[in-house]
Amino acid sequence: MRVLRIAAVVEAVSLVFLLVNVFTVHVGVITSLGGPTHGTAYLVIIVIAWRTPPALAPGARPRALVPGIGGLLVLRRMPQEASAAQRPRLVEEE
């Protein structure tokens, strides 16, 4: 779920940059770079949420469709045990 965490942060931060840009200086370069970045992160979140088994994160799929904060909402639905179980172990437990 590391990719989901990264995409959620990128989605939220890029939305903040885009909104600050629109309501302050409105620089075209920020819009042309931030828009595709935000859109890509949004699509990555949707794909990951729809590929996650429903039993692992019930209700996560519709939350992924919320623009801007969908990734953060999906992360809240993911159980912490699942992400800990997917991490590689450095030392085997006996």
Side-chain angles (χ1 to χ4, degrees):
M1 293 299 128
R2 184 177 183 182
V3 174
L4 181 62
R5 282 192 200 108
I6 293 170
V9 170
V10 169
E11 180 189 24
V13 169
S14 64
L15 178 64
V16 169
F17 279 125
L18 288 170
L19 291 176
V20 168
N21 182 45
V22 165
F23 292 118
T24 57
V25 293
H26 196 60
V27 177
V29 174
I30 294 174
T31 304
S32 64
L33 293 175
T37 303
H38 176 73
T40 302
Y42 178 62
L43 292 175
V44 166
I45 290 167
I46 291 172
V47 168
I48 291 173
W50 283 92
R51 291 185 53 119
T52 302
L56 181 61
R61 289 179 177 174
R63 286 173 174 80
L65 299 174
V66 178
I69 60 168
L72 299 174
L73 295 174
V74 170
L75 282 175
R76 290 188 64 185
R77 296 299 296 180
M78 295 288 188
Q80 296 301 319
E81 304 86 43
S83 61
Q86 293 175 352
R87 287 188 212 133
R89 294 183 182 159
L90 298 177
V91 179
E92 291 189 26
E93 299 175 7
E94 294 181 22

